[in-house]
Amino acid sequence: MGPAAAPATKALLKLFESERDRWRSGGVWAFPRLYAAQVLGSIKPDDPEVIPSLASALDPRTSGQLVCEAAIGALGKYGPAAKEAVPRLIELGRDNNNLYAVEAIRALGQIGAVTKDVVPALVEDIRDRHDDRDACDALIQIGPDAVGAIPVLY
């Protein structure tokens, strides 16, 4: 995929939004939204509606876990442009009982230290789990802006 598929953005957004409430009637209904999110993350179109639309799926209770994970992964690929999703990604990253927590931590690393809360949240994750390679990897991706985390890593 990539930018060459950007003309499909409006259709993908329409698909992503139109299937919003149908996933509960059967697992198969999650797939159109899941695939739309993955493609939107792959092509990273320059459309102001994409990030808010993906961010609206960051509640696994209303979107379903698969769609939530796909939206998290897609948002991470937008890097700092996905700043508006950071508070919710931090919340999801703190949920130790769900698989999407790891995906949220990875996305925070891709998005970077765009708010003052990102690095402390990743440090907290390391302290709580004592062996969180994903949070360490996220701090490495953030780079120099994560220098405050160095004492925690020793």
Side-chain angles (χ1 to χ4, degrees):
M1 289 262 162
T9 301
K10 293 296 181 197
L12 288 165
L13 282 170
K14 184 176 179 181
L15 175 64
F16 189 75
E17 294 298 327
S18 69
E19 298 294 327
R20 177 181 303 277
D21 297 321
R22 294 184 65 185
W23 77 272
R24 291 178 193 245
S25 64
V28 83
W29 294 111
F31 292 117
R33 292 192 80 206
L34 180 142
Y35 295 137
Q38 289 174 336
V39 173
L40 287 167
S42 294
I43 64 176
K44 296 190 312 191
D46 188 21
D47 186 312
E49 293 177 44
V50 174
I51 291 172
S53 183
L54 291 169
S56 73
L58 296 182
D59 185 346
R61 293 168 296 170
T62 57
S63 295
Q65 185 165 331
L66 293 175
V67 172
C68 181
E69 285 183 49
I72 291 169
L75 285 164
K77 293 177 182 177
Y78 282 86
K83 178 181 179 177
E84 71 183 68
V86 165
R88 183 67 183 130
L89 290 171
I90 289 172
E91 286 178 39
L92 291 169
R94 289 182 175 144
D95 190 341
N96 293 329
N97 297 321
N98 288 294
L99 298 174
Y100 51 75
V102 171
E103 194 69 35
I105 289 166
R106 289 179 184 152
L108 287 169
Q110 292 172 309
I111 293 168
V114 294
T115 72
K116 63 179 177 48
D117 301 323
V118 173
V119 172
L122 294 169
V123 167
E124 179 183 324
D125 186 72
I126 292 168
R127 284 186 178 141
D128 290 348
R129 298 181 194 198
H130 304 293
D131 181 27
D132 192 333
R133 291 185 181 114
D134 295 303
C136 290
D137 288 344
L139 289 168
I140 290 167
Q141 276 190 292
I142 290 171
D145 289 335
V147 75
I150 291 174
V152 176
L153 301 175
Y154 284 103

